[in-house]
Amino acid sequence: MDLKPLLKKLGSTLRAILTFAFALLVMGVMVWAYVDGYQLVTSKYGIISFGFYGLLLSLHVLVQSFFAFVEHRRMRALRKPCSLTKTIGFTISAYQEDPAYLRECLNSIRALKYPPELLRIIMVIDGNTEDDRYMMDMFMEVFADQDPGCFVWRNNYHTWDPTQAQQDVEMGPEGDAGHTIGEDPQRKEVERLIQSKSCVCIMQKWGGKRDVMYTAFKALGSSVDYIQVCDSDTKLDTLATVELCKVLESNNKYGAVGGDVMILNLKDSYISFMSSLRYWMAFNIERSCQSFFNCVSCISGPLGLYRNDLLQQFLEPWYNQKFLGSHCTFGDDRHLTNRMLSMGYATKYTARSKCYTETPAQFLRWLNQQTRWTKSYFREWLYNAMWWHKHHLWMTYESIVSGVFPFFVTATIIQLFWTGTLWDILWILCCIQLIGLVKAAYACILRRDFVMVFMSLYSALYMTSLLPAKYFAIITMNKSSWGTSGRRKIVGNYMPLLPLSVWVALLLSGFAYTIYQETREDWLTPAKLLETRFIIYGCVAYTCYWLLMIFLYWVWFRKSCRKRVQSYALNV
């Protein structure tokens, strides 16, 4: 009797039990530290204090930053060049794209420093109406010298109606007389084009982004070594593909790798500027740290590379994912990553592969995007938990910390606004900005760019908008759609504003109640006199901080606009 499979299964079960116990331990310590409120340092009358929970969060930020720094050095130390021998299926997902962004995307793909004979470029358009044809026309124009193949598919892989088969066969040369009833005759043409030409554009019936990606993945089959994903608003660095390949080739246990995604339109508005700073922190600190432990939680849609032989194994389960009985359409990139992690393969991040992508510049469109991302985050958190035991304990630890953090923050804010004092409210606001400043200062050093100091302003956006939106996302998690609207349409979904209204009403009511309670206190006691001094100093410091940051932002914005005007050129 061969004991090896049995011992392997026993070891996996034991590891799962120990990992689950570790998760409970981390959760227990965090809950205890938060609920108990044990104070390490406190001032006279307990006006200012620093607790054990604060210490845990501070240590988390320090450890995360340290491993991120080490991982950046690791990636820079990869000296072995890319072999330039792997075939790559380069997939582009397009939906109602801004023509300017789409052209930049296609031109950047043409400029990639990867052997063109090893690239198979496939753009799939989510829509097959006349309003969508401009994207296909642009693809044919940009790749005109490479004999592009183009096809308008009346269906997609999942909307074919077998009862229409005979009618389609009789429509002429597009049909295949040799097909069987129930098989889409146009599907064969799509697959033939994708597997025989180096540049192909397919327009298909609307189905959502996951349907678009599925078409490219399914039609490619096993014809390529790697599959690279890209969005139609993404502008790639010339070495983006080479750097991704270099990482995958360095270790056969690496299943997927993502690159550094930066913002193309950061100067469009305050929202897009804040997003650009948040992107940098998310990729170069959070995901870089995850990469050190080989467990990046999300290979971002604009820039990612997967081993095709592995991807094809979970293609059907990935597409057919359901949650609470509803078919999942959003969160495609995060679930792709989770599927790779579920197989025990590592996921990596390299800052040496870069791209630029568009981000919403309008508040409502940004809020819709964040709500959609939050839905996929919490849904995939549950799926990811099943595979913690296959990876480093850091994945378990970080999942717990990041998962419960919004709930602790919400509880703290509500508690202080309703049961605290005026100083408590001011103190938490000051602490939020102080923590933001510390993280921003570290980012300035790591990035060597003073602009990261504005990252401290993101906390206000998080507290006022993103935090309440998370609860709306959880409540409506099983509502599926494409998500952020196409860039050629005005956003019409105002529902995410509802939780913001409730949140503001809740905090303002609590603030009014606190003021009422404070008016009934005796402000001539030594404790209240000292508290009054702290309130005055705190208000001055908080006001000065915001005035300084607003002034610096105004100076930076004017300087950026002046540079943009000076470099502007009109091409007719």
Side-chain angles (χ1 to χ4, degrees):
M1 181 179 178
D2 189 3
L3 293 177
K4 192 173 181 180
L6 182 63
L7 291 174
K8 187 177 180 180
K9 186 176 182 180
L10 182 63
S12 179
T13 303
L14 182 61
R15 185 178 175 88
I17 293 172
L18 293 176
T19 301
F20 182 69
F22 176 73
L24 289 178
L25 176 64
V26 173
M27 176 71 82
V29 170
M30 290 197 65
V31 172
W32 169 79
Y34 179 79
V35 174
D36 185 72
Y38 180 75
Q39 303 299 320
L40 297 174
V41 180
T42 184
S43 66
K44 190 176 181 181
Y45 304 118
I47 294 177
I48 294 179
S49 60
F50 182 72
F52 185 67
Y53 179 71
L55 176 64
L56 290 179
L57 291 183
S58 301
L59 289 175
H60 171 75
V61 172
L62 287 173
V63 171
Q64 186 182 59
S65 301
F66 171 75
F67 285 117
F69 175 75
V70 174
E71 180 66 4
H72 279 296
R73 292 182 64 88
R74 266 188 185 180
M75 286 298 169
R76 284 197 295 268
L78 281 177
R79 299 299 181 190
K80 188 177 180 180
C82 178
S83 67
L84 301 178
T85 59
K86 303 294 185 181
T87 53
I88 297 176
F90 198 106
T91 67
I92 311 162
S93 304
Y95 173 62
Q96 297 180 356
E97 190 56 76
D98 183 299
Y101 288 133
L102 180 59
R103 187 173 293 277
E104 284 196 323
C105 171
L106 298 177
N107 285 331
S108 70
I109 294 170
R110 276 193 63 97
L112 287 174
K113 293 183 178 178
Y114 197 85
E117 64 273 12
L118 297 178
L119 280 178
R120 193 168 292 170
I121 302 166
I122 305 106
M123 183 168 84
V124 184
I125 300 169
D126 195 24
N128 56 6
T129 66
E130 283 301 314
D131 291 339
D132 302 305
R133 187 171 286 276
Y134 72 97
M135 292 180 279
M136 177 177 281
D137 293 340
M138 189 176 295
F139 184 90
M140 294 175 66
E141 177 189 340
V142 173
F143 294 101
D145 61 333
Q146 298 188 32
D147 186 28
C150 298
F151 190 77
V152 180
W153 193 0
R154 288 190 298 276
N155 301 288
N156 60 47
Y157 271 98
H158 302 96
T159 60
W160 170 244
D161 182 1
T163 62
Q164 300 297 314
Q166 190 61 44
Q167 297 178 27
D168 285 351
V169 170
E170 296 170 355
M171 291 185 67
E174 287 185 350
D176 182 356
H179 86 287
T180 57
I181 299 298
E183 181 182 284
D184 187 349
Q186 291 188 323
R187 169 179 167 173
K188 287 188 176 181
E189 179 62 16
V190 169
E191 293 176 346
R192 185 192 67 78
L193 279 174
I194 289 179
Q195 296 197 15
S196 63
K197 286 185 173 287
S198 61
C199 296
V200 178
C201 180
I202 304 296
M203 289 173 62
Q204 68 178 30
K205 186 175 182 179
W206 182 88
K209 187 177 180 182
R210 199 171 295 217
D211 262 291
V212 166
M213 298 174 72
Y214 180 90
T215 294
F217 298 163
K218 183 71 173 180
L220 279 168
S222 58
S223 62
V224 293
D225 298 312
Y226 300 152
I227 286 183
Q228 183 169 343
V229 293
C230 176
D231 292 337
S232 55
D233 61 353
T234 302
K235 182 180 179 181
L236 296 156
D237 179 72
T238 55
L239 292 174
T241 301
V242 170
E243 292 295 338
L244 292 178
C245 280
K246 188 190 296 184
V247 175
L248 279 195
E249 288 179 350
S250 66
N251 193 322
N252 290 330
K253 288 299 291 179
Y254 295 165
V257 58
D260 188 9
V261 180
M262 296 173 285
I263 298 303
L264 192 62
N265 59 322
L266 76 155
K267 298 173 185 176
D268 281 3
S269 70
Y270 174 76
I271 294 295
S272 59
F273 175 63
M274 284 291 104
S275 293
S276 71
L277 303 183
R278 174 61 192 142
Y279 269 51
W280 192 91
M281 295 289 287
F283 283 92
N284 290 283
I285 292 184
E286 295 167 17
R287 292 189 190 176
S288 184
C289 175
Q290 294 171 354
S291 182
F292 179 87
F293 296 103
N294 297 328
C295 55
V296 174
S297 60
C298 180
I299 304 298
S300 191
L303 184 59
L305 190 69
Y306 298 82
R307 291 189 185 275
N308 187 37
D309 58 335
L310 300 177
L311 188 150
Q312 295 296 330
Q313 293 179 41
F314 55 73
L315 178 58
E316 298 302 328
W318 168 76
Y319 176 81
N320 292 305
Q321 181 192 13
K322 287 188 176 182
F323 184 77
L324 299 178
S326 298
H327 179 65
C328 300
T329 56
F330 54 82
D332 41 84
D333 51 359
R334 191 175 286 273
H335 194 57
L336 263 182
T337 310
N338 263 339
R339 284 286 174 181
M340 191 65 74
L341 290 169
S342 72
M343 296 179 71
Y345 283 86
T347 51
K348 299 291 288 182
Y349 164 79
T350 173
R352 299 180 68 81
S353 177
K354 301 178 184 296
C355 77
Y356 292 86
T357 191
E358 187 265 358
T359 194
Q362 298 79 32
F363 177 76
L364 185 57
R365 195 162 161 261
W366 171 81
L367 193 61
N368 274 283
Q369 180 201 62
Q370 296 299 315
T371 301
R372 172 172 58 90
W373 286 359
T374 303
K375 288 181 182 183
S376 65
Y377 170 79
F378 282 108
R379 185 193 70 213
E380 293 303 317
W381 190 96
L382 298 172
Y383 182 83
N384 179 261
M386 296 190 294
W387 317 111
W388 286 345
H389 64 283
K390 291 190 175 185
H391 297 277
H392 197 280
L393 285 177
W394 177 267
M395 187 166 87
T396 305
Y397 161 76
E398 190 183 54
S399 296
I400 295 293
V401 172
S402 60
V404 303
F405 178 74
F407 304 103
F408 285 174
V409 171
T410 304
T412 301
I413 296 295
I414 293 176
Q415 179 189 12
L416 292 179
F417 269 74
W418 278 91
T419 64
T421 63
L422 288 175
W423 166 247
D424 290 332
I425 295 173
L426 180 60
W427 175 237
I428 192 65
L429 292 176
C430 290
C431 284
I432 289 169
Q433 298 309 133
L434 182 61
I435 294 170
L437 269 177
V438 171
K439 294 181 72 173
Y442 174 76
C444 286
I445 296 171
L446 190 62
R447 190 178 181 181
R448 298 176 184 176
D449 191 342
F450 182 74
V451 75
M452 290 305 297
V453 73
F454 294 112
M455 183 61 207
S456 61
L457 301 177
Y458 186 81
S459 56
L461 203 59
Y462 179 88
M463 291 295 175
T464 59
S465 306
L466 195 52
L467 189 60
K470 288 181 181 293
Y471 294 93
F472 179 75
I474 293 172
I475 294 171
T476 61
M477 198 182 297
N478 65 331
K479 302 292 184 182
S480 300
S481 68
W482 176 269
T484 311
S485 65
R487 273 159 280 278
R488 304 183 77 203
K489 289 188 176 181
I490 298 174
V491 175
N493 182 18
Y494 295 91
M495 284 301 293
L497 290 177
L498 179 62
L500 271 65
S501 305
V502 174
W503 179 246
V504 170
L506 183 65
L507 295 189
L508 287 179
S509 300
F511 186 62
Y513 177 75
T514 299
I515 292 176
Y516 168 72
Q517 290 292 99
E518 289 285 76
T519 58
R520 302 175 63 185
E521 296 287 334
D522 181 6
W523 285 82
L524 296 179
T525 61
K528 281 297 182 181
L529 288 173
L530 183 60
E531 186 178 322
T532 303
R533 292 173 60 187
F534 273 95
I535 289 175
I536 294 172
Y537 296 152
C539 285
V540 171
Y542 195 69
T543 303
C544 288
Y545 162 80
W546 278 103
L547 288 175
L548 176 62
M549 297 306 293
I550 291 172
F551 172 74
L552 291 175
Y553 178 76
W554 179 77
V555 171
W556 174 87
F557 189 76
R558 280 181 60 87
K559 183 180 178 182
S560 298
C561 287
R562 188 158 53 247
K563 284 182 178 178
R564 186 160 49 172
V565 169
Q566 290 172 355
S567 62
Y568 183 77
L570 179 64
N571 296 318
V572 180

